Amino acid sequence: MSRRAVAVVLVFPLLALLLVVSDSPYPSRPGPPRDAPRALVAMGDSTMSGEGAGNYEPGTNGENDNWCHRSRDASVWKTRVAGVGMAFNLACSGANSEQVGITDQVRNTEGSQARQLAEIARRFRVSVVVVAVGANDDPRFADVLGTCLRAWIERRADCSKSMADEWRARVDRMVPKVERALRDVRRVLQDVGYTPRSYTLVLQSYAAPVSPDLPLDLQNLAGCPLRTGDLSWVGERAVPELSAGLREAASAAGARFLDLADAGRGREACAGGKKPEEEWFTRLTVDFDGLREEARARHALQESFHPNARGHEQFARCMTDFLATTARSAACRADDEGNLRAVADRD
């Protein structure tokens, strides 16, 4: 018998076996029903939850001490993906990489976002997972801005002078934590029955919320009370270095990466002067009513220097662009009309 005849004899039974397996009513792995609606899931911290955009979902605006501040105007609700009709926002203001991953940690009364993702993935066909996390790990970006605010109030030297030397080290310590969180996301999806090619995982970085290009009469408690040197450091060094670290984590975990470091250029808090409606970030925001209650007073400044609803709409526009491509990484840049578009990185 010729080799070709032997191959045919061996292949036909194998094909028959595969057909029997594929027609089996018992799937070899768990997973969502075949006709389950496709879903987009957002995970991470305040920049993804919608902090600063207002219009928060009931139960996430301080009720029972839950301060996740999930906004109905968050970017996830405005991101469009062909064939995907469902969206879920698991992001929580203040979350760090551990909370995004598989953990027993509880923050803002909520536990692991990865475990919440697993529950969604059993009922819906998760097609896209977008993550924004890392700033609340070693960089502690919100605390840094708070320190710079105190430097302005106390008329001390720029806080960035003491922060600059250790910032890169903070970012470096953050990278493996974000990578671990992304791998946890992949792990829970794999356990539910997904393959890496059956969904898209994207890590999104942060946009600089402030810049030194603002009217002097807003460089105070009426708008952006930060010293000029600190405003420059945030936009020119801190945020770009944070994005570089996140890019490294995304690459290590096999995730796609969308760089927002320059996404808000010219639209930062206070940059609009007398036209705040042109800005994509909140200025110094104080919940004066909350100051009357001890439990809420700690969160009175929480919305400050976060993307507002206009910013989230633009970030969603860029993410929509990016998800419609096959590019591994891209950056958000404004087009001639001032709207954000995803510009693919050159390999």
Side-chain angles (χ1 to χ4, degrees):
M1 184 181 294
S2 68
R3 292 183 179 179
R4 184 171 183 178
V6 171
V8 170
V9 169
L10 293 175
V11 168
F12 275 174
L14 179 59
L15 288 175
L17 177 61
L18 290 175
L19 288 173
V20 170
V21 171
S22 65
D23 288 338
S24 171
Y26 305 103
S28 59
R29 306 183 68 177
R34 290 185 178 181
D35 59 348
R38 295 176 65 192
L40 161 68
V41 181
M43 306 174 67
D45 56 28
S46 58
T47 198
M48 187 65 76
S49 73
E51 178 76 75
N55 196 18
Y56 301 121
E57 297 176 9
T60 70
N61 191 24
E63 299 90 339
N64 298 315
D65 209 30
N66 183 314
W67 291 93
C68 285
H69 272 179
R70 293 193 187 99
S71 173
R72 297 183 184 89
D73 291 321
S75 60
V76 63
W77 303 116
K78 302 176 183 182
T79 300
R80 300 290 177 260
V81 183
V84 176
M86 300 288 295
F88 296 89
N89 189 0
L90 302 180
C92 181
S93 186
N96 58 14
S97 293
E98 184 180 1
Q99 189 178 9
V100 169
I102 302 171
T103 181
D104 293 327
Q105 179 192 86
V106 175
R107 179 171 296 199
N108 274 333
T109 74
E110 297 195 3
S112 166
Q113 293 180 24
R115 289 195 172 116
Q116 295 177 59
L117 171 65
E119 292 302 315
I120 293 171
R122 292 187 181 96
R123 298 167 47 219
F124 301 90
R125 189 163 301 281
V126 174
S127 298
V128 180
V129 180
V130 292
V131 182
V133 73
N136 293 322
D137 288 285
D138 299 85
R140 301 192 67 81
F141 192 54
D143 290 350
V144 169
L145 289 178
T147 300
C148 292
L149 172 59
R150 288 193 295 274
W152 179 89
I153 293 173
E154 298 171 4
R155 295 293 187 266
R156 292 189 282 108
D158 296 350
C159 76
S160 56
K161 290 184 177 180
S162 61
M163 187 67 59
D165 291 340
E166 64 175 287
W167 180 253
R168 185 66 224 187
R170 288 190 181 197
V171 172
D172 288 343
R173 291 195 298 271
M174 170 205 74
V175 172
K177 297 176 182 178
V178 174
E179 178 188 346
R180 189 178 305 119
L182 295 174
R183 292 191 184 280
D184 280 354
V185 169
R186 289 203 182 281
R187 177 181 165 186
V188 298
L189 290 175
Q190 178 180 340
D191 289 346
V192 173
Y194 289 71
T195 65
R197 297 185 65 179
S198 66
Y199 64 93
T200 296
L201 175 61
V202 178
L203 179 65
Q204 169 186 306
S205 72
Y206 300 85
V210 293
S211 88
D213 299 323
L214 76 164
L216 291 178
D217 61 355
L218 285 177
Q219 201 169 351
N220 53 40
L221 293 174
C224 297
L226 300 170
R227 297 172 66 85
T228 301
D230 294 334
L231 290 167
S232 297
W233 176 74
V234 167
E236 295 172 7
R237 179 172 174 184
V239 170
E241 288 189 358
L242 182 58
S243 285
L246 292 170
R247 181 188 294 272
E248 183 180 342
S251 178
R256 298 172 69 184
F257 179 69
L258 185 61
D259 187 357
L260 270 67
D262 291 326
R265 187 174 295 276
R267 302 283 188 164
E268 301 93 343
C270 299
K274 295 181 179 180
K275 296 182 177 180
E277 67 276 6
E278 296 182 356
E279 297 165 5
W280 295 348
F281 299 84
T282 60
R283 300 179 179 187
L284 179 68
T285 304
V286 182
D287 178 8
F288 288 103
D289 290 336
L291 290 174
R292 302 171 184 172
E293 304 175 30
E294 183 178 351
R296 300 184 68 89
R298 299 191 310 273
H299 303 273
L301 301 178
Q302 186 169 318
E303 294 180 292
S304 301
F305 308 121
H306 281 86
N308 56 29
R310 292 182 296 276
H312 277 276
E313 182 176 3
Q314 289 292 335
F315 297 163
R317 183 191 298 269
C318 184
M319 181 65 76
T320 296
D321 257 10
F322 182 50
L323 292 174
T325 74
T326 58
R328 294 301 304 169
S329 61
C332 295
R333 300 275 189 267
D335 61 18
D336 293 340
E337 296 181 355
N339 294 313
L340 289 184
R341 298 295 181 187
V343 179
D345 294 334
R346 294 181 179 179
D347 296 330

